[in-house]
Amino acid sequence: MSSTTPPDPDDPLRPASPQEAAWLARSKAQLQQAPLTFDVAAHWQSIAARLPASPAAAATSTSPLPQRPHRLRLLSSRWSAWLGGWALGAACAAGVIAAVGLHPPGTAPASVQPLSAASAVRSDQVLLQVVFADNARIGEIRALLAPLSVQVVAGPGSLGVWRIAVPAAQARAAQRALAASALVESVNPVR
Amino acid sequence: MGDEDLIRACAAGDVRALEQLHVRHARAAYAFALRITGVAADAEDAVAEAFYELWRQAGRFDCRSRARTWLLGIVRHKALDALRRRQPAQPLDDPSGDDPPADLPDPNPGPYEQLLAQQQTRMLLDCLERLPVAQREALHLALVEALRLRDIAQIQGVPENTVATRIHHAKRKLRDCVAATLGLKNPGVPSDSMA
């Protein structure tokens, strides 16, 4: 005797027979168990990188320099400016002499440190070359890179080029996230 | 915290709430987007765009639908955009797909027993990909997401009758495609064209 259960009018599948219902159930199980190559964590990073920088991160890097006290501005009279200029010139000359003496041409002075420490890229990392927009602020760049698990390998260079290393498994997502940001002019893998 | 509360938190600027929604729904959203686009990279981009859109539009969620339904609707739009970019000349629906089903018994009631015994996941996925996009969407939402007719109609932006028709055609085409793949005899009356 056939089932007397009335069909559910809101059931979109509406199987016409128990056999069809069984086949649909089997098909559903197969589709739900089909492997999905989807890294949820890496995908989230690509989304998080596009969200606006937090107010805290923006404040620490964009705070204006403190104004000089008014009384110090009174010292910028003509004669004190001339005297200050002479003193500045003497100081620069002394600095050049010291630099050349301590560090002959061709050697990098030890006191000059790049913004980022150059380090080797591991085999499980991909190296990306990034050029940020001229108006990108350090705090914004920091907030953009923070969720991407990047290691700043070099930069910024004289042309504003950065080199960053990202985990190989997340390289594609990181590159997409950076390319989608208004702060980035270009991002390319380094071969 | 329920999904609706998380969306309200997103509207207030809470990124952690968006991340919670992502943990809960991204995988299902990706499966749906992949069903539409057929390309993993496009599906990933569509889902990322959808969550970013959710973040921007969270304040406009009116709780008339479930959060998942709302999100899947956004995912659908983004996935279809990606599909149109990749296949600009390809129609997204079968022109006959929205005709109401004839009120006649199925001339080919089987061979479900053989399908149950021999159907492989890969052939099922291949046959699913051959369906027109709108039918593929509707069947996925009904079968995999187990959504109700009214939710699917909301996502696709069509009446419930249209959804029912799309699913009706999709089921028959899928069954006949898998049966043909398996080389089963006596397919009966040919179903609608797969084109």
Side-chain angles (χ1 to χ4, degrees):
Chain A
M1 184 173 297
S2 62
S3 169
T4 56
T5 305
D8 181 356
D10 203 27
D11 178 7
L13 294 173
R14 295 179 185 170
S17 65
Q19 292 80 13
E20 184 185 8
W23 170 68
L24 287 170
R26 172 100 171 101
S27 299
K28 173 180 178 174
Q30 286 180 314
L31 291 175
Q32 289 180 328
Q33 290 161 17
L36 266 188
T37 308
F38 182 64
D39 186 337
V40 177
H43 191 261
W44 167 249
Q45 288 183 350
S46 70
I47 296 171
R50 294 180 58 183
L51 298 176
S54 65
T60 55
S61 64
T62 59
S63 302
L65 292 172
Q67 288 274 336
R68 294 169 59 190
H70 178 68
R71 61 185 173 86
L72 292 179
R73 293 193 213 130
L74 296 178
L75 295 177
S76 299
S77 62
R78 189 181 302 175
W79 72 268
S80 60
W82 178 85
L83 193 63
W86 185 88
L88 183 60
C92 285
V96 169
I97 291 170
V100 171
L102 290 175
H103 303 284
T107 64
S111 60
V112 176
Q113 294 292 335
L115 189 66
S116 57
S119 57
V121 177
R122 300 194 308 267
S123 59
D124 62 342
Q125 292 179 317
V126 170
L127 194 61
L128 299 178
Q129 184 165 287
V130 186
V131 178
F132 291 100
D134 289 341
N135 61 353
R137 291 173 289 196
I138 287 294
E140 293 173 326
I141 294 173
R142 200 180 294 136
L144 176 64
L145 297 179
L148 301 179
S149 301
V150 306
Q151 174 190 347
V152 179
V153 175
S158 57
L159 298 178
V161 177
W162 294 56
R163 286 195 170 193
I164 62 174
V166 298
Q170 295 155 19
R172 197 157 179 275
Q175 188 173 351
R176 271 208 306 275
L178 291 169
S181 171
L183 299 174
V184 174
E185 286 194 353
S186 68
V187 52
N188 294 289
V190 176
R191 309 223 180 268
Chain B
M1 226 174 162
D3 286 346
E4 288 71 23
D5 293 327
L6 288 174
I7 293 180
R8 274 190 281 274
C10 287
D14 187 349
V15 177
R16 291 169 301 174
L18 184 69
E19 186 175 8
Q20 262 306 300
L21 287 168
H22 187 267
V23 167
R24 291 182 188 181
H25 301 292
R27 199 168 170 81
Y30 172 76
F32 181 47
L34 186 61
R35 187 72 61 231
I36 295 174
T37 63
V39 177
D42 287 349
E44 283 187 25
D45 288 344
V47 174
E49 289 289 328
F51 273 91
Y52 190 63
E53 188 70 21
L54 185 155
W55 172 258
R56 291 177 56 244
Q57 305 291 341
R60 297 186 185 180
F61 180 62
D62 56 12
C63 298
R64 278 188 299 177
S65 60
R66 293 188 304 149
R68 178 104 144 201
T69 303
W70 185 54
L71 172 64
L72 289 177
I74 301 174
V75 170
R76 177 180 178 270
H77 281 294
K78 301 300 181 182
L80 287 177
D81 286 345
L83 191 61
R84 289 189 193 101
R85 281 193 297 271
R86 184 178 288 273
Q87 300 172 354
Q90 182 78 14
L92 298 183
D93 203 353
D94 175 5
S96 67
D98 290 350
D99 295 340
D103 191 17
L104 294 171
D106 185 352
N108 186 24
Y112 290 115
E113 290 81 5
Q114 288 157 293
L115 294 180
L116 277 170
Q118 302 177 48
Q119 178 175 286
Q120 307 281 328
T121 302
R122 186 65 256 169
M123 63 180 64
L124 181 67
L125 289 171
D126 289 342
C127 286
L128 204 49
E129 278 180 29
R130 299 177 62 190
L131 297 176
V133 175
Q135 294 178 14
R136 201 158 73 218
E137 285 176 35
L139 188 60
H140 177 93
L141 292 172
L143 194 58
V144 180
E145 287 293 320
L147 293 183
R148 311 304 283 173
L149 212 56
R150 58 180 172 273
D151 291 325
I152 301 173
Q154 182 180 345
I155 290 171
Q156 291 197 305
V158 295
E160 292 184 18
N161 282 344
T162 302
V163 173
T165 302
R166 288 175 176 177
I167 292 173
H168 168 83
H169 287 295
K171 284 190 306 176
R172 286 200 181 183
K173 290 177 186 177
L174 188 66
R175 175 199 67 198
D176 293 345
C177 175
V178 175
T181 302
L182 290 170
L184 297 176
K185 294 182 178 179
N186 192 20
V189 176
S191 68
D192 312 288
S193 167
M194 291 294 284

